[in-house]
């Protein structure tokens, strides 16, 4: 069980959180092309390495936030608020 | 002393406390402290089980948790537990244990004929032998294999015990209570760290429990262990857990422990859990898991009476048991010499020590020679003789080039083998630790890990006792952030052995090694592994799966290194080029009871009860589970079955009025200055023009354009909406609302609050609903003119605050009376009493389903499956054409979501009005459509309609709306097909005159 550091509540066990998929996927305006909208819906990077992803502290404060997690090791490198830019973390492993 | 092989004055058992238990129905006498294995060995009995595939007679190879052979069933009835290791099961008075996988008896087993069939059961036999002919699989092969192969049987009665789950946090978790673990725990504990020390055995000490040679600070090993344990017990910051196996190392230093609490007690306290799972989150972990001695791979190496050398030493010193009268020792390592010396000193005849190494030397070898033990350098074992017990060993010279000379037979009743020691890397590997191959030791050692973990002692290749103690202290200090730790002087110890051997022993001539076992528990032989490589398997992971080596319940503890060496030899590549298979949890098997913990029966899942649950029970309702809710399905009267009761409830709603507990509806309050804008963006509908006091049917799509949820929304105030969702969708809709609000539209000033539990909903539906309700609502005017369909009013009902919705899910004039849940029953009683004069009838979810289907109202999740658009289910009218954006807008314009052949919701009528279709039936073009054929659609809802006095159904059909008036066929599994007509899905009152009345 992961240990997740909610930016609002501090470190809590994974069981308190809900996963929210890849972060920084901007929802396009409604007038984009079919290809752009389909990419928004379905295309993800499937990162092997450091992935920016969304979590929600659903059984705590209820807030969404972003995290950088290495998908190879499950190690977190950063937790940050929605709307903040992705921190500059290189693939460490 | 009981047991012919028990040695007086030896062992840690309590000979003043005799214990009697049963094994295969026979009384066995032992002592407190014995295991099933040690008590049986004390009687001279090695035969304890039959093997998995060939039913070979087997005895214990080890004295611990790595035991692959001696698996037994323990307990009776619901307490029966199969596949326990006899080497770990502590005996107590009255215990009942049985051997496994034998028929009719352990000594005579007809399944052992499988050995004769061994040539037919080669590596990968699952994949090739039984594949053809296909029809033989179900009738012949599978029953045969299931009967012949396997481990213990599952218990047949429910488990009467309870199991506990405990979360714990600590600074340092030390896994393993041998010398390294004890030293680490004491060092960390003394500098103030919160320490948990766990060990899988009944007592701490590890290898020291079987060591009568070494001296630490002038103390024998057992005395030193007692002293250290006493020091640890005095530290309030140290928690000691015995009979507690660390079986899983999860991310972020979460380690799962399984503690056995009561199985070793004859009469455990009634309130004691049988086992407890510990979920430990540790800042730092010290792995002191020790090392396991390797078996040697030779013909007949699985005969009872053949065991690891270290096991014989453990039985001697821990249990006072001599495992035989006359032993042959076969070794590639020095440690077995100490075993031979100890056994000889205890009176066991050592027939010979066969050493695979050409020139063994050193103090242990000299000591053996000095004692008169025959030491045979450059000697191997060719095969073991005997059947139910080993009777002799064929030894043979082996040259420097590996050629084996002519052998000779040495009679014996015990063969002790030692291929050297394999560090236990399981938990380190589960912690995503790297492994590195050590050429000098010929084994893998722990490398770097990404977790906060370090290994200490023999599990990282440190073997000499003084080094082990120093290593443990260093690891404990490093983990705890301390600088000064305890130190001890080891005054006498054996030098760590050199040498070691892995793989199949060399053989004279073209030996086929068909019965030289690599994996005892899964009956995998050296021949199987070689065959797999010859058949083209190169990856060790593939060899593992093809042969099943290392896949038994012991997780390959004793077999993986030998299998790896065989593959390495056949391929002519170094072991590190081949790698190791992944170590998977659990390290040792864990019972289902422990995993389930308290989550059984009523505790399995939270049960949500609507406010009128007690009333419904008093009325004799029949219930159904709807997600986590228990809801009244129907209210049968005497002699009624479900069909009759539901038909009566439906007729009552249409003729008079029905009352229904709709409190499970999800309810969310959307409030704030931007509430209307939020609703506009979230729902496909438009909300700006919805006046205060008005309701609207709302539809939620995902951004994929597919229907996600629906429900009536009422506008309470300009800045406040009372949103309802489906019963099952409430949590998901609120989460989706929060997601968009927090991450896409942080500009909106809106609050979202779940009010599902706060507002109970009493649905009153039927032509007399207004007449019943009007006198109750404290002067509120609910006349048709004042409160038309799809409006809401706030008021009171008998003084209780109320949000009254005039809505209908039945097609009748109807109200949904929202009142605070705490006062819902009182309001319900008032409505019920007022309705009695009219003949109001309670109805359940089944009637609700029928009534809505008669009106063609969809249920999200029944008609829809996550791939339906609003248009597919006939709800295009709900989708705003003017809003610049909403969730799903762009996707709904995609061509694929507007294709004419999409599945569309239609009504379905059978020719025979009595015939009710099965929900889920496929619809095909012709009665005699070929098999296979593509379905044109499928039935989603199907009922008998009392209002129409005939069956009705709803279906999703390709291009269905344009096909109304045409027919399709619904085939049954028996080959017949029913002709059905596609019609409009609104079967009853299509004009809506009744609900607007
Ligand atoms: Zn939080």
């Amino acid at each position: 069980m992961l240990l997740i550091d909610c930016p609002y509540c501090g470190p809590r066990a994974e069981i308190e959180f809900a996963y929210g998929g890849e972060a920084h996927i901007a929802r396009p305006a409604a007038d984009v092309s079919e290809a752009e909208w389909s990419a928004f819906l379905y295309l993800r990077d499937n990162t092997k390495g450091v992935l920016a992803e969304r979590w929600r502290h659903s059984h705590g404060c209820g807030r969404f936030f972003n995290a950088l997690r290495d998908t190879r090791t499950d190690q977190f490198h950063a937790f940050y608020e929605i709307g903040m830019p992705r921190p500059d973390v290189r693939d460490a492993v | 002393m009981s047991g012919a092989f028990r040695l007086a004055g030896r062992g840690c058992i309590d000979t003043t406390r005799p214990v009697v238990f049963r094994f295969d129905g026979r009384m066995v006498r032992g002592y407190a402290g014995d295991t099933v294995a040690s008590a049986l060995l004390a009687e001279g009995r090695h035969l304890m089980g039959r093997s998995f595939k060939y039913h070979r007679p087997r005895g214990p190879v080890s004295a611990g948790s790595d035991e692959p052979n001696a698996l037994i069933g323990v307990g009776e009835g619901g307490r029966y537990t199969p596949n326990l290791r006899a080497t770990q099961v502590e005996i107590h008075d009255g215990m009942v244990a049985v051997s496994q996988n034998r028929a009719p008896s352990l000594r005579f087993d007809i399944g052992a004929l499988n050995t004769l069939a061994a040539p037919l059961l080669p590596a990968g036999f699952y994949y090739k032998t039984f594949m053809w002919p296909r029809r033989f699989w179900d009738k012949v092969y599978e029953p045969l294999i299931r009967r012949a192969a396997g481990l213990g049987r599952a218990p047949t009665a429910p488990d009467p015990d309870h199991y506990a789950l405990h979360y714990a946090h600590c600074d340092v978790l030390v896994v393993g209570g041998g010398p390294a673990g004890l030293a680490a725990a004491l060092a960390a504990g003394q500098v103030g760290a919160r320490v948990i020390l766990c060990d899988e055995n009944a007592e701490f000490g590890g290898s020291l429990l079987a060591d009568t040679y070494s001296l630490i600070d002038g103390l024998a090993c057992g005395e030193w262990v007692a002293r250290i344990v006493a020091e640890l017990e005095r530290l309030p910051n140290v928690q000691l857990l015995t009979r507690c196996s660390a079986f899983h190392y999860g991310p972020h230093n979460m380690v799962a422990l399984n503690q056995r609490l009561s199985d070793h007690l004859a009469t455990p306290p009634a309130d004691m859990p049988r086992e407890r799972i510990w979920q430990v989150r540790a800042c730092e972990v010290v792995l002191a898991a020790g090392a396991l001695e390797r078996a040697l791979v030779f013909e007949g190496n699985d005969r009872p009476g053949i065991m690891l050398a270290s096991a014989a030493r453990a039985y001697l010193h821990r249990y006072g048991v001599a495992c035989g009268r006359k032993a042959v020792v076969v070794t590639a390592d020095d440690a077995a010499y100490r075993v031979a010396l100890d056994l000889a000193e205890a009176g066991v005849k050592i027939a010979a020590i066969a050493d695979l190494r050409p020139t063994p030397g050193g103090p242990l070898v000299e000591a053996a020679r000095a004692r008169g033990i025959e030491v045979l350098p450059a000697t191997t074992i060719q095969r073991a003789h005997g059947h139910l017990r080993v009777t002799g060993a064929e030894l043979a010279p082996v040259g420097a080039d590996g050629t084996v000379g002519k052998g000779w037979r040495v009679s014996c009743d015990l063969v002790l083998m030692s291929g050297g020691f394999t560090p236990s890397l399981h938990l380190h590997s589960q912690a995503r630790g790297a492994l590195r191959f050590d050429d000098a030791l010929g084994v893998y050692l722990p490398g770097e890990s990404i977790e906060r973990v370090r290994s200490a002692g023999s599990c990282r290749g440190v073997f000499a006792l003084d080094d082990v103690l120093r290593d443990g202290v260093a690891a404990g200090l490093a983990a705890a952030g301390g600088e000064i730790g305890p130190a001890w002087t080891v005054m006498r110890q054996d030098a760590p052995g050199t040498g070691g051997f892995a793989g199949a022993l060399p053989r004279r001539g073209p030996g086929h090694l068909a019965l030289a076992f690599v994996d005892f528990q899964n009956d995998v032989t050296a021949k199987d592994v070689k065959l797999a490589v010859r058949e083209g398997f190169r990856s060790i992971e593939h060899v593992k799966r093809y042969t099943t080596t290392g896949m038994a319940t012991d997780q390959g503890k004793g077999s993986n290194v030998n299998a790896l060496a065989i593959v390495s030899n056949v391929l002519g590549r170094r072991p590190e080029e081949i790698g190791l298979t992944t170590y998977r949890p659990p390290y040792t098997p864990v019972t289902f009871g422990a995993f389930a913990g308290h989550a059984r029966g009523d505790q399995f899942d939270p049960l949500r009860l609507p406010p009128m649950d007690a009333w419904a029970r008093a009325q004799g309702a029949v219930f159904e589970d709807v997600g986590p809710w228990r809801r009244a399905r129907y209210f049968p009267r005497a002699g009624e079955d479900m069909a009759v009761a539901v038909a009566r409830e439906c007729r009552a709603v249409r003729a008079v009025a029905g009352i229904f507990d709709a409190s499970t509806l999800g309810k969310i309050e959307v409030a704030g200055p931007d509430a209307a804008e939020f609703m506009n963006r979230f729902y496909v509908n438009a909300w700006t023009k919805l006046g205060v006091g008005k309701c609207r049917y709302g539809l939620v799509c995902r951004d994929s354009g597919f229907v996600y949820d629906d429900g009536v929304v009422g506008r309470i105030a300009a800045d406040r909406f009372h949103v309802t969702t489906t019963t099952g969708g409430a949590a998901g809709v609120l989460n989706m609302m929060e997601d968009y609000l927090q991450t896409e539209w942080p500009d909106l000033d809106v609050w979202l609050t779940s009010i599902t539990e706060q507002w109970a909903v009493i649905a009153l539906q039927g032509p007399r609903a207004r007449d019943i309700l009007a006198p109750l609502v404290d002067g509120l005017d609910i006349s048709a003119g004042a409160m038309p369909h799809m409006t809401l009013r706030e008021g009171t009902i008998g003084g209780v605050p109320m949000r009254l919705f005039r809505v209908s899910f039945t097609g009748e004039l109807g109200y949904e009376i929202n009142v605070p849940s705490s006062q819902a029953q009182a309001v319900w009683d008032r409505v019920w009493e007022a309705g009695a004069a009219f003949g109001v009838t309670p109805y359940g979810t089944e009637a609700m389903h029928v009534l809505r289907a008669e009106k063609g109202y969809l249920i999200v999740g029944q008609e829809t499956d996550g791939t339906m658009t609003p248009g597919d289910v006939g709800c295009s009218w709900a989708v705003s054409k003017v809003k610049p954006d909403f969730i799903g807008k762009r996707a709904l314009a995609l061509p694929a979501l507007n294709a004419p052949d999409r599945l569309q919701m239609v009504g379905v009528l059978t020719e025979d009005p009595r015939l009710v279709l099965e929900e889920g039936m496929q619809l095909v073009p012709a009665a005699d459509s070929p098999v296979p054929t593509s379905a044109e659609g499928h039935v989603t809802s199907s009922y008998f309609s009392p209002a129409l006095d005939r069956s009705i159904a709803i279906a999703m059909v390709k291009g269905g709306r344009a096909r109304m008036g045409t027919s399709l066929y619904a085939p049954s599994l028996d080959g017949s097909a029913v002709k059905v007509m596609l019609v409009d899905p609104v079967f009853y009152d299509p004009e809506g005159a009744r609900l607007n009345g």
Side-chain angles (χ1 to χ4, degrees):
Chain A
M1 193 186 302
L2 305 180
L3 189 64
I4 297 173
D5 199 352
C6 171
Y8 310 100
C9 305
R12 304 290 180 86
E14 180 186 350
I15 197 169
E16 295 184 14
F17 296 83
Y19 189 63
E22 189 172 336
H24 304 295
I25 308 257
R27 184 172 180 270
D31 57 359
V32 297
S33 70
E34 287 163 18
E36 283 173 277
W37 191 263
S38 297
F40 158 68
L41 287 178
Y42 301 116
L43 297 188
R44 296 295 181 270
D45 283 346
N46 195 23
T47 303
K48 181 181 182 181
V50 177
L51 170 71
E53 62 190 15
R54 304 169 350 127
W55 288 88
R56 184 182 180 212
H57 196 185
S58 46
H59 296 286
C61 62
R63 303 282 292 270
F64 280 83
F65 57 89
N66 290 337
L68 293 183
R69 181 178 59 94
D70 193 318
T71 58
R72 297 165 297 184
T73 63
D74 274 339
Q75 298 301 295
F76 285 109
H77 295 294
F79 298 92
Y80 56 104
E81 295 187 351
I82 295 289
M84 306 281 287
R86 176 185 164 135
D88 184 22
V89 172
R90 308 258 169 253
D91 285 10
V93 175
Chain B
M1 296 291 288
S2 67
F5 288 78
R6 190 80 72 172
L7 302 168
R10 293 178 192 272
C12 313
I13 48 166
D14 185 350
T15 53
T16 67
R17 291 169 56 207
V19 172
V20 179
F21 69 103
R22 286 181 176 277
F23 182 72
D24 282 348
R26 200 174 54 80
M27 304 269 276
V28 181
R29 294 175 195 284
Y31 295 105
D34 262 326
T35 63
V36 169
S38 68
L40 291 172
L41 289 169
E43 295 192 330
R45 172 171 182 160
H46 280 251
L47 176 63
M48 294 185 198
R50 289 275 177 171
S51 72
F52 176 69
K53 197 161 84 177
Y54 301 133
H55 290 237
R56 304 261 298 177
R58 292 280 170 82
V61 173
S62 78
S65 69
D66 52 329
E67 175 58 36
N69 279 342
L71 302 184
I72 57 173
V74 179
E76 294 175 287
R79 290 198 166 88
Y80 175 80
T81 308
N83 306 331
L84 293 175
R85 294 156 299 283
T87 52
Q88 273 192 306
V89 175
E90 299 168 62
I91 62 170
H92 59 70
D93 273 322
M95 171 188 273
V96 175
V98 293
S99 60
Q100 300 183 158
N101 208 30
R102 46 44 178 181
S105 77
L106 194 49
R107 293 186 66 80
F108 177 75
D109 180 295
I110 50 174
L113 294 171
N114 279 11
T115 295
L116 303 178
L120 299 175
L121 303 173
F125 74 98
Y126 290 108
Y127 306 108
K128 45 195 178 193
T129 311
F130 300 109
M131 294 308 288
W132 182 91
R134 175 65 184 85
R135 69 180 185 283
F136 267 46
W137 175 255
D138 300 335
K139 297 262 186 317
V140 180
Y141 295 145
E142 190 183 357
L144 195 80
I145 293 171
R146 285 206 186 282
R147 206 166 47 243
L151 297 172
R153 308 234 174 275
T156 51
D159 190 335
D161 290 307
H162 76 281
Y163 298 78
L165 171 65
H166 189 74
Y167 287 91
H169 297 80
C170 65
D171 297 318
V172 181
L173 170 68
V174 181
V175 176
L182 288 170
L186 189 62
Q190 283 179 345
V191 298
R194 290 177 305 151
V195 175
I196 294 175
L197 169 65
C198 68
D199 191 280
E200 63 183 359
N201 293 307
E203 54 192 323
F204 291 111
S207 60
L208 296 179
L209 296 173
D211 185 349
T212 54
Y213 178 75
S214 305
L215 284 177
I216 312 172
D217 280 358
L219 298 173
C221 292
E223 293 167 333
W224 183 84
V225 169
R227 195 186 92 190
I228 300 300
V229 171
E231 284 183 48
L232 287 166
E233 282 171 344
R234 278 196 295 275
L235 291 172
N237 50 320
V238 174
Q239 181 150 29
L240 301 176
L241 301 172
T242 52
R243 300 186 179 89
C244 188
S245 313
F247 65 89
H248 175 233
Y249 201 125
H252 304 173
N253 269 12
M254 184 76 136
V255 183
L257 320 177
N258 178 33
Q259 186 182 20
R260 304 180 303 281
L261 294 163
S262 69
D263 273 353
H264 63 290
L265 302 173
T267 50
D271 58 350
M272 178 184 265
R274 187 172 178 182
E275 298 178 35
R276 175 182 290 131
I277 297 278
W278 291 70
Q279 300 239 58
V280 180
R281 182 82 70 181
C283 296
E284 300 279 343
V285 175
V286 175
L287 298 177
L292 295 171
E293 196 167 22
R294 285 193 297 282
L296 296 174
V297 179
F298 57 91
E299 195 74 8
N301 62 342
D302 63 327
R303 291 298 177 205
I306 303 176
M307 62 200 325
L308 297 169
S310 58
R313 195 182 190 205
Y315 286 114
L316 177 65
H317 296 312
R318 289 177 62 180
Y319 307 105
V321 171
C323 289
R325 305 271 189 228
K326 185 180 178 189
V328 167
V329 179
V330 187
T331 186
D333 182 274
D334 290 356
Y337 284 81
R338 173 59 62 198
V339 180
L341 286 164
D342 285 3
L343 288 173
E345 190 269 328
V348 176
K349 165 96 175 130
I350 306 298
I353 299 178
D355 198 320
L356 292 157
R357 297 170 295 182
T359 53
L364 275 169
V365 178
E366 294 317 312
R369 288 194 171 116
R371 207 191 156 86
I373 297 173
E374 186 178 17
V375 175
L376 304 168
T379 304
T380 185
I381 183 168
Q382 283 295 279
R383 68 168 54 83
H385 296 285
H387 179 55
L388 296 176
R389 177 71 183 266
V390 65
T391 56
E394 186 181 323
L395 303 180
V398 56
D401 58 352
T403 55
V404 177
K406 189 167 164 37
W408 69 97
R409 178 172 172 162
V410 181
S411 73
C412 62
D413 63 355
L414 184 65
V415 172
L416 302 180
M417 51 187 173
S418 178
F421 289 81
T422 305
S424 280
L425 302 168
H426 300 70
L427 291 175
H428 168 81
S429 181
Q430 288 176 25
R432 314 214 193 186
L435 305 175
R436 61 181 179 81
F437 192 78
D438 186 282
D439 278 321
L441 292 170
V443 292
Y444 278 96
L445 295 179
E448 291 291 307
S449 170
I450 49 139
E451 298 287 349
R452 308 281 303 174
V453 61
R454 68 201 79 229
S455 295
S458 59
C459 71
R460 73 178 196 101
V462 176
F463 288 109
L465 182 56
D466 53 355
D467 292 338
V468 167
L469 294 175
R470 275 194 293 273
D471 204 40
V473 169
L477 288 175
E483 287 175 7
I484 300 173
W488 302 278
T489 306
V490 176
M491 301 160 77
R492 194 171 70 188
Q493 67 176 357
D494 285 325
T498 58
F501 187 89
L505 290 181
R507 277 187 58 83
R508 178 178 168 83
H512 52 57
L513 292 167
L515 295 170
F517 288 89
V518 176
D519 183 324
F520 293 107
Q521 197 171 109
N522 265 357
D523 270 349
V524 180
T525 66
K527 184 190 173 198
D528 291 329
V529 176
K530 290 182 176 179
L531 180 65
V533 178
R534 276 208 311 277
E535 289 184 358
F537 292 94
R538 293 293 181 270
S539 157
I540 191 72
E541 294 281 5
H542 293 163
V543 171
K544 166 180 168 173
R545 280 154 186 78
Y546 191 61
T547 64
T548 74
T549 188
M551 290 173 69
T553 68
D554 63 351
Q555 288 280 294
K557 288 185 185 69
S559 59
N560 279 351
V561 171
N562 281 330
L564 171 66
I566 293 171
V567 173
S568 162
N569 287 339
V570 176
L571 291 177
R573 294 163 62 195
R574 291 160 48 79
E576 59 268 41
E577 295 176 61
I578 292 161
L580 269 181
T581 54
T582 307
Y583 290 96
R584 298 192 190 282
Y587 176 67
T588 43
V590 180
T591 61
F592 283 115
F595 281 126
H598 293 300
R600 301 168 59 187
D602 289 346
Q603 306 295 317
F604 179 67
D605 219 13
L607 181 64
R608 297 182 78 177
L609 300 175
M612 272 64 78
D613 176 71
W615 186 90
R617 272 186 286 130
Q619 295 286 318
V622 174
F623 293 87
E624 69 170 338
D625 292 334
V626 181
W629 293 97
R630 185 176 77 196
R631 303 190 69 181
R633 192 174 188 190
Y634 58 99
F635 293 82
R637 290 181 181 165
E640 286 184 339
D641 63 9
M642 184 170 100
V644 174
V646 169
R648 173 180 50 73
E649 291 171 18
C650 290
R651 281 193 300 268
V653 171
R654 299 244 182 263
V656 185
I659 185 168
F660 175 69
D661 186 352
S663 304
T664 64
L665 272 179
K667 294 171 279 292
I668 299 165
E669 195 149 301
V670 177
D674 297 322
E677 174 61 17
F678 175 81
M679 293 295 290
N680 276 335
R681 295 188 195 177
F682 193 79
Y683 279 81
V684 302
N685 319 68
W687 300 95
T688 312
K689 290 180 184 162
L690 182 72
V692 173
K694 293 231 165 60
C695 303
R696 182 165 288 168
Y697 171 77
L699 199 56
V700 184
C701 283
R702 309 298 298 253
D703 257 330
S704 55
F706 298 132
V707 172
Y708 181 64
D709 202 80
D710 68 349
V712 169
V713 176
R715 192 161 195 173
I716 304 290
D719 62 352
R720 188 173 297 265
F721 292 82
H722 180 118
V723 168
T724 68
T725 73
T726 59
T727 292
V733 171
L734 181 58
N735 184 69
M736 183 173 157
M737 284 182 168
E738 287 284 358
D739 191 344
Y740 279 83
L741 183 60
Q742 292 184 36
T743 71
E744 295 293 342
W745 311 320
D747 54 306
L748 295 184
D749 194 358
V750 173
W751 296 272
L752 304 168
T753 309
S754 169
I755 51 171
T756 301
E757 296 281 351
Q758 282 70 28
W759 289 102
V761 182
I762 301 165
L764 185 64
Q765 301 274 314
R768 305 303 299 274
R770 184 186 297 120
D771 301 331
I772 297 168
L773 188 61
L776 305 177
V777 291
D778 301 347
L780 184 68
D781 183 0
I782 62 168
S783 63
M787 190 176 178
H789 184 52
M790 295 305 268
T791 59
L792 78 92
R793 297 289 178 267
E794 289 187 277
T796 59
I797 178 165
V800 176
M802 167 183 72
R803 286 179 178 173
L804 181 63
F805 286 69
R806 184 175 165 192
V807 290
S808 175
F809 199 43
T810 60
E812 301 296 328
L813 161 67
Y815 299 91
E816 291 186 354
I817 310 161
N818 285 249
V819 291
S821 294
S822 57
Q823 298 172 74
Q825 186 61 57
V827 174
W828 176 284
D829 291 342
R830 227 164 285 146
V831 177
W832 175 247
E833 284 160 23
F838 296 84
V840 70
T841 297
Y843 67 101
T845 51
E846 194 65 26
M848 179 268 284
H849 276 271
V850 175
L851 294 165
R852 68 90 201 174
E854 288 174 343
K855 286 291 294 180
Y857 295 148
L858 84 132
I859 288 188
V860 171
Q862 184 151 345
E863 271 65 55
T864 69
D865 63 0
T867 66
M868 310 297 180
T869 66
D872 297 342
V873 290
C875 290
S876 294
W877 57 268
V879 182
S880 165
K881 310 292 185 293
V882 297
K883 290 194 294 183
D885 194 11
F886 58 84
I887 300 174
K889 179 179 172 73
R890 180 64 188 89
L892 287 173
L894 296 174
L897 270 59
N898 294 280
D901 64 342
R902 291 188 62 80
L903 292 172
Q904 292 171 338
M905 183 168 142
V906 294
V908 169
L909 292 176
T910 52
E911 287 193 314
D912 174 2
R914 303 285 114 188
L915 182 71
V916 180
L917 297 171
E918 297 275 341
E919 289 177 356
M921 271 183 151
Q922 301 296 305
L923 298 175
V924 297
D928 55 353
S929 295
V931 179
T933 195
S934 311
E936 293 294 303
H938 59 275
V939 177
T940 57
S941 295
S942 181
Y943 308 95
F944 187 81
S945 162
L948 279 71
D949 192 31
R950 62 150 300 139
S951 64
I952 57 170
I954 299 173
M956 298 299 299
V957 174
K958 285 180 187 168
R961 273 197 293 279
R963 294 167 75 166
M964 287 184 199
T966 69
S967 57
L968 286 172
Y969 291 83
S972 295
L973 286 177
D974 65 9
S976 66
V978 177
K979 186 177 183 184
V980 300
M981 188 69 69
L982 306 188
V983 297
D984 188 277
V986 185
F987 297 100
Y988 187 70
D989 186 26
E991 302 79 25
R994 301 182 67 89
L995 62 84
N996 284 309

